[in-house]
């Protein structure tokens, strides 16, 4: 880093410190800072949002990321940060022209029959223009701002410095891995900076809805799409955010809410690839039963196994199988330390107790999921990113649907999909597929055993094997081992007494005899039988056969 770059970084950090202090967060920049005494928690969410807005586009985007992490961020801040809008002043048209021509390899006049210089939308990374392909077909062109990648990279470096500073000086943030959070933000930004990723997601969703006449997804024009330019069909209709719902009848509003919910349930349960930001600006209303989807910069992916695990959780919730729910959550990739397992199970039982005896139709699935995920967040259990995205998408979707039609329940739309996916698990094809997969795993494990044994022997030879002992269970294991050893000893003595007495009774010819055995061997034989009976009774009483 040059001297000028260092000077610029210091100047920017000074600006950030001044803005943070202005909004009541200056303690981050003081050693041992744990919050001002005057820090008003009732206004912290609003102040944080306003601070991000004043700090600029990169911090707005970071705030938007924080709004998707209810496992780390309090709910009041989540709600406020979701109001952040990524908008910025449009770039001069000549700069936009330069990006298009450099990336597409054609002059603007060769690539497009006409190109509107005024953008219809402008954000921190890029802006959107309406244009016409040769022949007049109308498209929208998303163009990245020149220098956006360099600006974001510099701001991300600043975020890493701020994360280290906050971790060192704000004790109440110690439970959050701020550096990992910035890592996640950096990955998200890098993914967003390559418009081809969004184009591929858009094409995949378009394929899933190809036969659905009620949902339009734009076609990507790859010849005029690159890392910094994305060209796709312009979707008809108006953004839901600009639709006057008061002009629609109650039935039309309910139909619109159902169509939107149905589309997302298909993406989540049937396709496994879902639009993760169902914001009203990303939903085009063509008619009450006809919508369009745009902006696929944020998508979530669920495997078939993920979806089946989610449906299995759903079924166990309905059937009140409390002992299975923690296992279902683990199958979703939700892992938690053993020290919180007991507390989690106990509190989960209390959460589910309110639904005991309720029928499937009486259970509010949204409420159940809200309670379960609320408990997960409260216990600071880490969620895989795909479930965080789904939780955000469903929460946003539920809010949008309620705004359209207040009596509409999004999760009622999910029931047929969940039921179908649940029944598919027992179809012959699925059973055969699972059996084939399981046999493959067993065969792979069996073939791997010789190598594992060889590695273990090498570790023994090199003295690298470490054995961990749980002292709490050591005494119980020791007692069980001692009892087993005692029984083996008694069994051996009993066998010896019986066999010895039998030999004596058989080979001694002098003295009195009974049933062909010399009397001298009878006491030992009887003693052996008594010992044998005592051993059998002890084993029966312990249940250890």
């Amino acid at each position: 880093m040059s001297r000028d770059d260092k000077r610029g970084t210091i100047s920017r950090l000074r600006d950030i410190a001044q803005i943070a202090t202005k909004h009541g967060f200056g303690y981050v920049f003081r050693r041992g800072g744990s919050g001002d005494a005057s820090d008003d928690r009732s206004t912290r969410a609003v102040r944080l949002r306003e601070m991000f807005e004043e700090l600029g586009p990169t911090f707005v985007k970071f705030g938007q990321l924080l709004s998707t992490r209810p496992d780390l961020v309090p709910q009041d801040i989540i709600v406020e940060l979701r109001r952040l809008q990524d908008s910025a002043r449009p770039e001069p048209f000549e700069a936009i022209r330069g990006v298009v021509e450099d990336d597409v390899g054609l002059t603007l006049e060769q690539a497009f029959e006409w190109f509107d210089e005024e953008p219809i939308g402008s954000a921190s990374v890029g802006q959107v223009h309406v244009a016409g392909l040769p022949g007049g077909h109308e498209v929208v062109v998303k163009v990245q701002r020149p220098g956006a990648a360099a600006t974001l990279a510099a701001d991300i470096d600043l975020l890493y410095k701020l994360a280290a500073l906050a971790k060192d000086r704000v004790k109440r943030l110690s439970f959050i891995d701020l550096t990992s959070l910035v890592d996640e933000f950096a990955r998200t930004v890098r993914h967003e900076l390559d418009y081809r990723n969004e184009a591929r997601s858009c094409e995949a969703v378009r394929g899933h809805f190809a036969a659905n006449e009620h949902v339009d997804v734009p076609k990507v024009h790859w010849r005029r799409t690159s890392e910094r330019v994305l060209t796709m069909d312009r979707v008809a209709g108006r953004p839901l955010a600009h639709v006057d719902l008061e002009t629609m009848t109650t039935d039309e509003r309910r139909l619109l809410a159902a169509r939107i919910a149905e589309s997302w349930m298909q993406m989540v349960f049937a396709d496994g690839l879902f639009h993760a930001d169902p914001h009203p600006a990303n939903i085009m209303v063509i008619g009450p039963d006809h919508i369009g989807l745009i902006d696929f910069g944020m998508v979530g992916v669920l495997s078939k196994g993920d979806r089946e695990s989610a449906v299995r959780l759903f079924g166990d919730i309905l059937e009140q199988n409390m002992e299975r729910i923690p296992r279902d959550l683990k199958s979703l990739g939700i892992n938690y330390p053993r020290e919180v397992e007991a507390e989690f199970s106990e509190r989960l039982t209390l959460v589910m107790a309110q639904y005991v005896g309720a029928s499937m139709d009486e259970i509010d699935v949204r409420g159940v999921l809200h309670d379960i995920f609320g408990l997960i967040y409260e216990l600071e259990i880490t969620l895989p990113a795909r479930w965080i995205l789904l939780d955000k998408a469903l929460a946003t979707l539920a809010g949008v649907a309620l705004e359209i039609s207040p009596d509409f329940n999004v999760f009622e739309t999910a029931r047929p999909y969940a039921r179908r996916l649940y029944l598919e698990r027992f179809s012959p094809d699925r059973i055969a597929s699972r059996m084939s997969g399981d046999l493959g795993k067993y065969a792979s494990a069996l073939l791997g055993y010789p190598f594992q044994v060889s590695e273990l022997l090498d570790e023994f030879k090199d003295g690298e094997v470490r054995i961990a002992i749980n002292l709490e269970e050591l005494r119980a294991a020791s007692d069980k081992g001692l009892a087993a050893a005692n029984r083996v000893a008694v069994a051996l003595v009993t066998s010896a007494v019986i066999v010895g007495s039998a030999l004596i009774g058989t080979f001694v010819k002098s003295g009195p005899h009974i049933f062909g055995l010399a009397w001298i061997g009878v006491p030992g034989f009887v003693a052996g039988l008594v010992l044998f009976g005592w051993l059998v009774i002890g084993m029966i009483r312990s249940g250890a056969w």
Side-chain angles (χ1 to χ4, degrees), residues 113-219:
E113 187 171 296
W114 56 271
F115 197 102
D116 192 346
E117 296 186 9
E118 289 297 320
I120 59 173
S122 180
S124 59
V125 173
Q127 56 195 57
V128 180
H129 294 259
V130 179
L133 296 177
H137 186 75
E138 193 172 64
V139 294
V140 292
V141 186
K142 186 175 179 180
V143 186
Q144 192 173 121
R145 293 172 180 271
T151 300
L152 284 166
D155 283 346
I156 287 171
D157 285 341
L158 282 174
L159 282 172
Y160 277 116
K161 291 180 173 63
L162 291 172
L165 196 67
K167 183 178 180 179
D168 181 51
R169 300 188 178 185
V170 185
K171 293 181 180 179
R172 66 185 183 190
L173 293 178
S174 60
F175 77 94
I176 300 176
D177 189 346
L178 293 172
T179 301
S180 294
L181 202 57
V182 178
D183 285 339
E184 181 183 342
F185 177 63
R187 286 193 299 271
T188 301
V189 167
R190 281 195 295 269
H191 186 274
E192 184 180 338
L193 284 171
D194 189 344
Y195 285 172
R196 291 169 296 188
N197 292 320
E198 181 178 348
R200 283 188 283 268
S201 298
C202 182
E203 285 283 87
V205 175
R206 175 180 166 80
H208 294 152
F209 283 102
N212 191 328
E213 61 183 15
H214 301 285
V215 181
D216 292 351
V217 179
K219 175 185 176 181

Side-chain angles (χ1 to χ4, degrees), residues 363-386:
I363 292 179
D364 178 10
V365 180
R366 181 188 180 192
V368 175
L369 292 176
H370 179 270
D371 290 343
I372 291 177
F373 278 93
L375 177 58
I376 289 171
Y377 299 144
E378 185 179 341
L379 294 178
E380 298 176 9
I381 296 172
T382 302
L383 278 174
R386 60 190 184 278

Side-chain angles (χ1 to χ4, degrees), residues 245-246 250 253-254 257 366 398-410:
L245 296 174
E246 298 299 325
T250 301
R253 292 174 67 164
R254 183 169 182 80
R366 181 188 180 192
V400 168
L402 285 174
E403 185 176 345
I404 297 170
S405 180
D407 62 341
F408 185 80
N409 187 343
V410 166

